[in-house]
Amino acid sequence: MDVETVGKTGFFLAAFLIDQYVKATITGSTTLSFITFQRVTNTGASFGFFQGYNAALLIAGIIILATVYWYRDHLPDWAVWCIITGGVSNLVDRVVYGHVVDYISIGWWPVFNVADALLTVGVAVVVVDEFFGREETP
């Protein structure tokens, strides 16, 4: 394994473990400046859509992750790492808890977690790359 792969693996493994640790241990509420850390359960998807469809979202998540993995050679490397790490962390929640545990609140935005942030960044990078990325040469 090359140094870059080891670095990415370490970074994303750390992000996954931190996310899972906080989800497993957060019980109360703590406010630091403009961020509040509080445990919120979410049986839906992003922004609270599809509440109560945990099993369907679990299956959809597995299909999406498999698709991202399948097409990984055609997507920006960091985006793939973000999507896979965030997706796996939230899928672990769905299996272990029966819902996703969110814990970061910034007031005006729905409560989210590190996995959600990774997913958002990964998808944003894919979208930006699709519209503004380099043209492939034949």
Side-chain angles (χ1 to χ4, degrees), residues 55-73:
L57 291 168
L58 176 66
I59 293 166
I62 292 168
I63 292 168
I64 291 166
L65 286 178
T67 303
V68 168
Y69 183 77
W70 182 267
Y71 287 103
R72 71 188 179 282
D73 293 335

Side-chain angles (χ1 to χ4, degrees), residues 65-66 68-69 79-89 119:
L65 286 178
V68 168
Y69 183 77
V80 171
W81 281 86
C82 286
I83 293 167
I84 299 269
T85 303
V88 167
S89 190
L119 283 164

Side-chain angles (χ1 to χ4, degrees), residues 74 128-138:
H74 305 286
V128 168
D129 185 69
E130 266 311 299
F131 286 107
F132 303 108
R134 292 178 281 144
E135 293 285 326
E136 289 189 27
T137 54

Side-chain angles (χ1 to χ4, degrees), residues 38-104:
Q38 66 186 58
R39 183 184 182 90
V40 175
T41 60
N42 181 4
T43 60
S46 298
F47 306 107
F49 291 122
F50 307 112
Q51 288 295 321
Y53 291 94
N54 191 57
L57 291 168
L58 176 66
I59 293 166
I62 292 168
I63 292 168
I64 291 166
L65 286 178
T67 303
V68 168
Y69 183 77
W70 182 267
Y71 287 103
R72 71 188 179 282
D73 293 335
H74 305 286
L75 300 171
D77 196 38
W78 275 96
V80 171
W81 281 86
C82 286
I83 293 167
I84 299 269
T85 303
V88 167
S89 190
N90 280 343
L91 286 178
V92 166
D93 285 14
R94 290 191 188 284
V95 170
V96 172
Y97 304 115
H99 55 263
V100 173
V101 176
D102 292 325
Y103 53 85
I104 302 170

